[in-house]
């Protein structure tokens, strides 16, 4: 491995983690935006901090650069506390073990990304795409389940109906919905479990007149 003073070893480790080896001979002004961001990260981790605060770490980066930075955050998070401030909510789901939503200076939600997404009314619902003539058959087949709150018609597009089967009290309904449709031999085009989106959670929490409180 690399031998040298402690400072040199830390510098070499920062270069390796930030992926800067290929551009070491270049001055910063000649680097792309992605590499400039990597230099900033290398500067921040040079002294191997126990706590690292990152503000919008992937803002403006292309998909490959985002993937690299998020991978680096995951690697570093194994032995240090990392606080990420971001408005890119997909980033929260990708790298964060805990999410805190702050609105007007108040903490209005605190939990894992999965905890927060459960707040969306359709989280855990089963979406079904089917032809119009079979939509009623699906509704009739599922009408008697106590675990189902209601069945909505979300919309009609390209000659197909999009149904949403909503669970009651957070029940897991995917298994029985799928099994029933199979037993009734109803031909459907698509079925999947819906997950809440953090964007929807954020809007739900921050646009509430009364506030929501902690998760």
């Amino acid at each position: 491995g690399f031998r040298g003073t402690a400072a040199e070893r830390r510098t070499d480790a920062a270069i390796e983690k930030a992926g800067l080896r290929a551009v070491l001979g270049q001055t910063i002004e000649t680097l792309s935006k992605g590499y400039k961001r990597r230099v900033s990260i290398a500067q921040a981790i040079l002294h191997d901090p126990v706590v690292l605060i990152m503000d919008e770490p992937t803002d403006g980066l292309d998909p490959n650069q985002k993937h690299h930075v998020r991978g680096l955050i995951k690697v570093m998070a194994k032995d240090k506390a990392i606080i990420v401030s971001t408005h890119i909510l997909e980033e929260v789901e990708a790298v964060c073990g805990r999410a805190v939503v702050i609105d007007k200076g108040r903490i209005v939600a605190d939990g894992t990304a999965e905890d927060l997404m459960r707040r969306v009314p359709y989280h855990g619902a089963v979406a079904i795409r089917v032809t119009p003539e079979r939509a009623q058959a699906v509704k009739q087949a599922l009408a008697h389940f106590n675990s189902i709150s209601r069945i909505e018609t979300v919309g009609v597009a390209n000659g197909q109906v999009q149904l949403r089967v909503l669970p009651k009290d957070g029940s897991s309904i995917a298994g029985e919905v799928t099994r029933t449709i199979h037993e009734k031999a109803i031909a459907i085009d698509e079925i999947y479990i819906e997950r809440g989106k953090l964007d929807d959670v954020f809007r739900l929490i921050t646009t509430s007149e009364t506030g929501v409180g902690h998760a």
Side-chain angles (χ1 to χ4, degrees):
F2 177 79
R3 296 182 181 277
T5 66
E8 289 172 335
R9 289 196 299 272
R10 286 197 301 270
T11 300
D12 190 69
I15 289 169
E16 188 65 34
K17 284 182 178 179
L20 292 172
R21 194 76 65 190
V23 296
L24 278 183
Q26 295 181 228
T27 55
I28 290 179
E29 62 267 18
T30 66
L31 298 179
S32 67
K33 185 171 184 176
Y35 270 111
K36 286 179 180 176
R37 184 65 50 84
R38 294 189 197 192
V39 172
S40 297
I41 291 173
Q43 289 174 315
I45 65 176
L46 188 60
H47 62 295
D48 193 24
V50 177
V51 178
L52 180 62
I53 300 174
M54 307 182 81
D55 183 25
E56 306 285 2
T58 66
D59 186 39
L61 301 186
D62 69 34
N64 289 334
Q65 293 164 343
K66 285 182 181 180
H67 179 76
H68 177 88
V69 172
R70 289 172 183 174
L72 176 59
I73 291 172
K74 287 182 179 180
V75 169
M76 293 191 300
K78 294 176 182 177
D79 56 15
K80 61 176 86 273
I82 301 179
I83 299 172
V84 176
S85 171
T86 182
H87 69 279
I88 305 172
L89 297 186
E90 67 179 60
E91 197 148 272
V92 176
E93 192 173 358
V95 303
C96 297
R98 175 182 173 189
V100 177
V101 179
I102 299 175
D103 182 40
K104 299 181 179 67
R106 296 181 306 114
I107 294 177
V108 293
D110 184 351
T112 66
E114 182 66 24
D115 290 337
L116 298 190
M117 287 189 292
R118 288 195 189 103
R119 294 182 174 216
V120 177
Y122 61 79
H123 183 78
V126 176
I128 300 171
R129 189 162 53 86
V130 67
T131 57
E133 63 270 17
R134 293 178 184 139
Q136 191 57 36
V138 171
K139 291 181 178 180
Q140 289 175 347
L142 301 175
H144 66 284
F145 285 107
N146 292 328
S147 57
I148 291 174
S149 170
R150 66 184 185 277
I151 303 172
E152 299 176 340
T153 299
V154 178
V156 181
N158 300 319
Q160 291 183 314
V161 177
Q162 184 79 28
L163 300 176
R164 177 181 286 154
V165 186
L166 291 144
K168 186 179 295 182
D169 302 324
S171 303
S172 177
I173 60 173
E176 57 188 349
V177 168
T178 304
R179 187 167 53 253
T180 299
I181 289 174
H182 177 72
E183 290 172 353
K184 299 288 186 181
I186 304 170
I188 60 173
D189 295 285
E190 185 180 28
I191 183 169
Y192 60 91
I193 302 172
E194 295 199 51
R195 299 178 72 238
K197 295 178 182 177
L198 283 176
D199 296 70
D200 295 334
V201 177
F202 186 84
R203 284 194 297 271
L204 180 70
I205 292 172
T206 59
T207 58
S208 167
E209 292 184 5
T210 57
V212 181
H214 293 243

